[in-house]
Amino acid sequence: MICYTKGVTGPRHLVSIADLDAAEIVRILDHGDRYWSLADEPIKKLTSLRGRTVINLFFESSTRTRTSFELAAKRLSAEAINIAASSSSTTKGETLLDTGRNLLAMHPDVIVVRHSFGGAAAMLAEASRCAVVNAGDGQHEHPTQGLLDAATIRRHKGRVDGLEIAIVGDIQHSRVARSNILCLSKLGARVRLVAPWTLIPRGIELIGGELTRERVRVCTRLEDGLDGADVVMMLRVQHERFAGEAPRFPNTRELSRTFGLSERTLQYAKSDAIVMHPGPINRGVEVSPQVADGPRAVILQQVSWGVAIRMAILERAVLGGPSSAEQAA
Ligand code: ASP
């Protein structure tokens, strides 16, 4: 039986992977496992969050994350309400906190928030009586992506512990990289960060203290970074976060030539290595179409896991864990 120990009396926020220990991460992944096969059922609806309200508050664009949170809420019979930045009162000068306070006055059970400011989810969680789930805050974290990536790896490799995982691309601006470094290290993997120096933040290996200092290493050559890797996770260049920065590489074509994943460069990794990408993919830039659509890619499975893991996260947020019906099953 799954049993969450933390936050039993208060809201179960999910702001950062840093707040979860390995046992709790495994509990969430086990919880998500129960919903993986639901996608194959003709009727995909459960009732555990009937009468509950989930607000998706998105100040940055999103396809997969917003849709999967909405689907996850609906599959648990919760009401899902979507607010996009362009239609919110922040465009009229309202602060994030004031928007949050107004939404809280309507008594939702969960607020899922995405914002360009790293720290936005934590700020809202501090002011909130209901659970706050971080759907990506600036360059800081994207914890549900880290969890769904771990679930995908576990499904394909049978474990995370002991695997060699290469994260390749724009580490500098990637919240996905930060959440994955923490999540995968906590689960016992070794992580290589593969990019030119200019796309790797100084001291990133220390993001999780001693644990990540031991488990994370930086590689500035693709060949070294992929050598013997079980998992290759590609990241796009986050051009939208470069505003005001000096150029970090000569041009995208050159970056693609030296750090792009093609059928040729994938051969540096183990012959059974899987290829992941959080999306959106820039085909022909960080990953070739042949690899993205090839047999080693599990990119669309990541999207499917997104729904299952977000169902688990919403139940954890509202109920503290799986519904009692689910526990009994
Ligand atoms: N979808 C991911 C994110 O929101 C990755 C990306 O945009 O490149 O961070």
Side-chain angles (χ1 to χ4, degrees), residues 64-65 114 135 142 145 175-176 236 238 240-241 278-280:
R64 282 149 290 269
T65 307
R114 168 170 286 191
H142 193 348
Q145 180 75 43
R175 52 196 178 203
V176 173
R236 79 182 166 96
Q238 308 244 323
E240 71 275 23
R241 301 199 197 283

Side-chain angles (χ1 to χ4, degrees), residues 289-309:
Q290 292 78 5
V291 172
D293 301 329
R296 316 263 291 272
V298 297
I299 298 168
L300 294 178
Q301 281 96 316
Q302 288 173 263
V303 178
S304 305
W305 272 106
V307 179
I309 287 294

Side-chain angles (χ1 to χ4, degrees), residues 45-71:
K45 207 136 175 135
L46 304 172
T47 55
S48 61
L49 297 191
R50 189 166 48 203
R52 308 296 191 140
T53 310
V54 176
I55 297 182
N56 290 320
L57 179 58
F58 277 61
F59 294 96
E60 279 190 333
S61 55
S62 172
T63 306
R64 282 149 290 269
T65 307
R66 200 199 53 70
T67 311
S68 59
F69 266 113
E70 182 177 352
L71 255 186

